Amino acid sequence: MGAMTSSDIYTKQQRIAELARIHPEVAFTSLAHHMDLDWLKEAYRRTRKDGAVGVDGVSGKDYGENLEANLQVLLDRAKHGDTYKAPPVRRVYIPKADGSQRPLGIPTFEDKVLQRAVVMLMEPLYEQDFLDCSYGFRPGRSAHMALEAIWQGLMDMGGGWVLDVDIRKYFDTLDHRKLREILDLRMKDGVMRRLIGKWLKAGVLEKGCVTHPETGSPQGGVISPMLANIYLHEVLDVWFEKEVKPRLRGRAFLVRYADDFVMGFAREEDARRVLEVLPKRFERFGLKIHPDKTRLVAFRKPREPRDPDGGPGHFDFLGFTHYWGMSKNSRWVVKRKTAKSRMSRALTTIGEWLRKHRHLPVREQWRTINQKLVGHYRYYGITGNSKALSNYRYEVGRRWRGWLNRRSQRARMNWERMNKLLVRFPLAPAISYASRLRLQRA
């Protein structure tokens, strides 16, 4: 028999999904038997090879040099209990928009492959349970779809009240005991549960010391987004749909992307009731609402023209500020623009790149700058955000000129010379790749 293909893996996943649909209340005890050498090969194929290395220093390229033997050893260890030891994750930090730092845990490449293999088994099972309000780290779903759901929900209600919630250090505080109880509802496969338990207890290596937190699932691990979705599916999504909404007097909706979420309400009293009970609900599962970053926003449709760029009645979600503005037809509509914090961070990032690579040939700089511009447009290029895209493009050009100007004391890069250079090396045009009209045409 030949090697299993990606379509064969998909067929196996479809069987799991079908059984999960037929038996929505059953906890599956036999999933790991699907995980064979070909399954791990597919997991390897889906794993980034150029990511940061873990505590063992082994890269994806290194691991792939003796791939089949490495995967066979990994499979044998994973399926035979105590022979598999989960190595600690390597702690690194990345800057957040508010100036603080977000901790990430980098697993070894081998662990990334094994975690991917387990996610490939869990995904078809839990995708049958997850609700439509959840968009993060799910196949066929995206941040743009979450943004569209918020826009549609607010437009359908004609505005209302928005509960903008921030969970304090969600990935660090996820309760292991509660997570095990939630997993028991749907998955009791011994191999998979043992592996998940080992990853949760693996520990974190930082400054030469390994610590073993009793809560949390490190951001950066392949398995973490899946566990985070499973946890909040039960803690938030199902609770809101089955217990909260039937008790409300008006319309309401929830949109969640991983641990970021907003709730929209037609009536203020409904919003305030949920704001009161939400912290109590979360405390039962070891989670806390950030008191300073959680707020109730009066997002009602304005009755008369006012400043469309902000003021009362706006909120940020997934990198965009949502506000009311006038359409071309002189109607009030929900608009979105790049959030100031995200714009500032994006410009700081490209400024740092220009500083570090200021001595590269202009043509090489130009290629990379345009790649970064297009990447920015592909995310922030949504309907109604063209002004912010153009501003970003202009500011990038201004910073590029500034660093080119420092390269030579004799040949200063004034704007006249810069404009001539931009004729030869034009900056990528500010295209709204994700606009509603463009997506409809596609």
Side-chain angles (χ1 to χ4, degrees):
M1 292 180 65
M4 186 177 291
T5 64
S6 296
S7 61
D8 296 323
I9 301 290
Y10 178 75
T11 300
K12 282 188 173 185
Q13 290 178 316
Q14 287 298 98
R15 289 175 189 157
I16 296 171
E18 184 61 26
L19 286 171
R21 272 194 298 271
I22 296 171
H23 305 289
E25 306 297 327
V26 171
F28 282 60
T29 59
S30 181
L31 289 170
H33 70 276
H34 292 292
M35 188 167 63
D36 53 19
L37 185 59
D38 289 316
W39 191 277
L40 284 184
K41 285 181 181 178
E42 179 65 14
Y44 169 83
R45 189 186 70 80
R46 298 185 188 186
T47 302
R48 278 186 58 185
K49 314 301 186 293
D50 59 348
V53 298
V55 295
D56 60 358
V58 176
S59 67
K61 181 181 178 182
D62 296 336
Y63 194 83
E65 289 178 357
N66 194 18
L67 181 62
E68 189 150 334
N70 286 335
L71 292 179
Q72 185 62 60
V73 171
L74 176 62
L75 180 65
D76 293 341
R77 286 161 48 222
K79 288 200 170 185
H80 295 91
D82 294 336
T83 58
Y84 172 78
K85 304 290 184 183
V89 298
R90 182 171 64 86
R91 172 63 51 82
V92 298
Y93 292 90
I94 59 171
K96 294 175 66 175
D98 61 5
S100 62
Q101 292 190 312
R102 184 191 306 277
L104 291 183
I106 309 300
T108 63
F109 182 80
E110 184 173 71
D111 248 19
K112 291 178 185 177
V113 173
L114 188 54
Q115 288 184 23
R116 175 63 61 197
V118 170
V119 168
M120 285 162 53
L121 288 169
M122 296 173 72
E123 202 169 70
L125 168 60
Y126 281 100
E127 276 298 313
Q128 314 316 308
D129 298 348
F130 289 159
L131 304 184
D132 285 343
C133 62
S134 165
Y135 291 88
F137 304 103
R138 293 181 58 190
R141 294 187 155 232
S142 68
H144 288 141
M145 293 172 70
L147 291 164
E148 187 67 16
I150 292 172
W151 185 89
Q152 196 66 58
L154 291 170
M155 289 296 292
D156 288 348
M157 291 195 310
W161 295 78
V162 171
L163 188 53
D164 180 12
V165 183
D166 184 274
I167 307 176
R168 188 196 291 267
K169 297 182 178 179
Y170 172 64
F171 281 89
D172 295 336
T173 56
L174 192 147
D175 187 294
H176 292 175
R177 182 178 63 83
K178 291 289 186 180
L179 175 61
R180 286 193 293 270
E181 291 175 3
I182 292 171
L183 289 172
D184 281 342
L185 299 174
R186 208 61 167 119
M187 188 181 70
K188 292 185 177 180
D189 180 282
V191 171
M192 293 176 65
R193 292 296 298 273
R194 188 166 58 245
L195 288 173
I196 291 171
K198 289 183 177 185
W199 288 323
L200 291 174
K201 296 175 182 178
V204 176
L205 176 65
E206 185 174 8
K207 296 180 179 179
C209 297
V210 177
T211 58
H212 295 271
E214 295 182 3
T215 61
S217 180
Q219 284 182 273
V222 177
I223 195 74
S224 292
M226 173 61 74
L227 297 179
N229 268 340
I230 292 170
Y231 203 72
L232 280 180
H233 166 74
E234 196 66 34
V235 175
L236 178 64
D237 303 354
V238 173
W239 172 74
F240 185 78
E241 190 66 31
K242 294 187 177 180
E243 297 187 37
V244 174
K245 283 175 69 174
R247 292 177 168 85
L248 301 180
R249 296 183 63 187
R251 295 170 63 183
F253 67 86
L254 164 68
V255 174
R256 180 174 67 82
Y257 191 92
D259 60 324
D260 293 327
F261 67 94
V262 295
M263 297 172 172
F265 301 88
R267 302 174 69 100
E268 181 182 1
E269 61 264 38
D270 287 340
R272 293 197 179 278
R273 285 174 62 199
V274 174
L275 179 57
E276 183 181 351
V277 300
L278 188 61
K280 300 171 186 174
R281 170 69 179 178
F282 274 22
E283 283 175 12
R284 286 180 51 196
F285 293 87
L287 303 176
K288 291 185 178 180
I289 301 297
H290 199 302
D292 299 326
K293 296 182 180 180
T294 296
R295 63 195 190 109
L296 183 59
V297 180
F299 200 76
R300 292 163 295 180
K301 185 184 296 186
R303 295 182 179 177
E304 57 186 42
R306 63 183 179 88
D307 178 13
D309 289 328
H314 66 281
F315 65 95
D316 290 354
F317 186 66
L318 295 180
F320 291 89
T321 297
H322 298 65
Y323 64 99
W324 284 102
M326 295 293 287
S327 71
K328 293 179 180 178
N329 299 324
S330 299
R331 295 171 52 196
W332 286 110
V333 295
V334 176
K335 292 191 172 185
R336 289 82 54 88
K337 64 180 179 179
T338 309
K340 288 181 180 179
S341 60
R342 292 296 186 93
M343 179 70 83
S344 176
R345 186 170 69 184
L347 289 171
T348 298
T349 299
I350 202 162
E352 281 296 303
W353 185 89
L354 287 166
R355 181 183 65 81
K356 292 177 181 177
H357 299 87
R358 61 187 180 275
H359 298 302
L360 280 179
V362 170
R363 183 176 293 277
E364 290 185 33
Q365 289 184 351
W366 170 67
R367 286 199 191 102
T368 302
I369 289 169
N370 273 350
Q371 288 172 357
K372 292 179 181 295
L373 282 171
V374 171
H376 185 89
Y377 302 154
R378 287 193 181 280
Y379 184 74
Y380 291 101
I382 66 172
T383 301
N385 197 36
S386 57
K387 182 179 177 181
L389 295 188
S390 297
N391 287 344
Y392 179 72
R393 181 176 183 268
Y394 169 77
E395 289 295 334
V396 168
R398 196 168 68 84
R399 283 161 172 75
W400 191 21
R401 186 196 74 84
W403 283 108
L404 289 174
N405 192 41
R406 298 187 184 196
R407 288 177 26 147
S408 172
Q409 294 294 323
R410 289 176 297 176
R412 288 293 186 180
M413 181 61 73
N414 57 31
W415 272 110
E416 183 180 355
R417 291 190 63 208
M418 185 66 187
N419 287 330
K420 289 179 180 178
L421 183 138
L422 288 173
V423 172
R424 292 178 58 208
F425 300 105
L427 295 179
I431 296 173
S432 297
Y433 286 93
S435 72
R436 197 173 296 115
L437 184 61
R438 191 179 184 90
L439 293 174
Q440 285 172 353
R441 286 174 179 168

